[in-house]
Amino acid sequence: MITTDLAPGSPCWLDLGAPDVRAAAAFYGAVLGWEYESMGESEDFEGGMFKKDGKTVAGIGKLTEEGARSAWMIYYTVDDADATTQAVERAGGTVRVPPRDLDDWGRMAQYNDPLGGQFAVWQPGKNSGFELADEPGSLSWTELYTSDAAGAKEFYGGLFGWQYSDMELPGGGGAYTLITPAGLPEERMQGGLMELPEENLALASGRPYWHPVFNVTDCDAAVAKVTENGGSVQMGPEDAEGVGRLAVCLDPANADFVVLTPATPS
C-alpha cells in the first residue's frame, strides 16, 4: 500500500517525459480524470502538474533528451540524495542527473541501475511529494521488469534497504518479488519486480524499466478511454487473483503504465 507518509525508500513522486505535453495532458485527463496545471511554456521549458480532486498526483515535462523514449520516471524518498548518489555509483549504477536543489522544494537526482533501468530519488524540502496515493486516479503500485531479478534485488536492496518476499506466478510463470520499505510491515508493500527475457523488454531496447500502476474504479472503462484517446493495450483487461482487474497500457507516445481496479477484500 503506497501512502503519502513517504517513508524512506517508498515512492513519493512520478513524472512523465512527453514529446507533446498538451496531448499527453488531454490523454491522462480522459483516462484518469486528471486536471493539468501548467507551470509555464517557453523555448526551454514546458510542463506542469497533474491534479486529481485538487490534490497533486504527478508531474509532466517536455521530453528533450536526445534519443530518449517517452516514459514515466518514479522517484523514491531518501534522507540524503548525495549519499544515495555515492551508493548508486559504488553498486555499479550510473548518474543521469547529479543531485540538485529545486528551489526550496527539495533535492533530486536521477540514475540508471547496473543494467540501465531508470529511476530517481527525492530528498524532501518543503515539498514531500504527491498528495494522493492508493486512491482512484493515483499511484497504487510500482513495478520493475528486468532481465536479472537477483541483481536488481541486490542493487535496490542495498540502496534502499527494501524487504523482499517472492510469490510463484500461476502456470509456472516464475517468481514475482514483492517489495516493502525497510522496517515496515507487509501491508505496506509498494511494488514488485519480475524477471523477463531481454527480448520481452523491447519497449526499452532490452533494458529494465519501471512503470507505474494507477488505481481506477473500473478497469474496463479505463481501457476503453485509453483506446478511444489514441493509446493501446499490451495486455488485458484480465483478473489477477487477490490483486484485482488490470491492463497494461501504452499512451499515444508509447509510455507504459498499468490500470488496476483492486480486488475487494473478502
Side-chain angles (χ1 to χ4, degrees), residues 91-192:
T94 55
V95 179
R96 299 184 68 250
V97 178
R100 66 185 185 195
D101 293 323
L102 299 182
D103 295 323
D104 55 354
W105 289 6
R107 192 162 173 79
M108 61 80 72
Q110 294 182 355
Y111 314 108
N112 291 335
D113 69 22
L115 292 182
Q118 297 182 359
F119 69 105
V121 298
W122 179 253
Q123 177 186 328
K126 73 174 187 181
N127 187 299
S128 297
F130 44 56
E131 298 172 336
L132 187 71
D134 221 31
E135 297 289 340
S138 67
L139 185 70
S140 63
W141 193 253
T142 65
E143 195 165 60
L144 174 67
Y145 290 164
T146 179
S147 57
D148 181 6
K153 288 162 73 172
E154 182 178 356
F155 174 78
Y156 291 102
L159 202 60
F160 296 125
W162 286 347
Q163 305 167 113
Y164 301 117
S165 57
D166 289 345
M167 57 178 282
E168 290 299 316
L169 293 169
Y176 187 88
T177 298
L178 300 160
I179 300 167
T180 305
L184 294 180
E186 282 199 351
E187 57 261 29
R188 282 293 303 273
M189 285 177 186
Q190 64 189 28

Side-chain angles (χ1 to χ4, degrees), residues 4-34:
T4 55
D5 71 4
L6 308 178
S10 67
C12 63
W13 185 246
L14 70 163
D15 56 36
L16 175 67
D20 185 330
V21 169
R22 290 285 173 178
F27 173 81
Y28 287 98
V31 174
L32 297 173
W34 287 352

Side-chain angles (χ1 to χ4, degrees), residues 116-266:
Q118 297 182 359
F119 69 105
V121 298
W122 179 253
Q123 177 186 328
K126 73 174 187 181
N127 187 299
S128 297
F130 44 56
E131 298 172 336
L132 187 71
D134 221 31
E135 297 289 340
S138 67
L139 185 70
S140 63
W141 193 253
T142 65
E143 195 165 60
L144 174 67
Y145 290 164
T146 179
S147 57
D148 181 6
K153 288 162 73 172
E154 182 178 356
F155 174 78
Y156 291 102
L159 202 60
F160 296 125
W162 286 347
Q163 305 167 113
Y164 301 117
S165 57
D166 289 345
M167 57 178 282
E168 290 299 316
L169 293 169
Y176 187 88
T177 298
L178 300 160
I179 300 167
T180 305
L184 294 180
E186 282 199 351
E187 57 261 29
R188 282 293 303 273
M189 285 177 186
Q190 64 189 28
L193 65 88
M194 184 165 62
E195 183 166 302
L196 294 171
E198 278 191 30
E199 57 266 28
N200 289 6
L201 303 174
L203 198 61
S205 302
R207 296 187 301 273
Y209 58 93
W210 287 95
H211 58 218
V213 177
F214 297 118
N215 182 313
V216 294
T217 53
D218 184 330
C219 180
D220 294 75
V223 166
K225 290 291 187 183
V226 167
T227 55
E228 286 169 14
N229 288 276
S232 58
V233 180
Q234 288 191 302
M235 184 192 82
E238 63 182 43
D239 294 316
E241 186 178 352
V243 176
R245 189 162 176 80
L246 58 87
V248 182
C249 304
L250 298 176
D251 72 15
N254 284 340
D256 54 303
F257 64 99
V258 175
V259 289
L260 167 69
T261 300
T264 305
S266 54

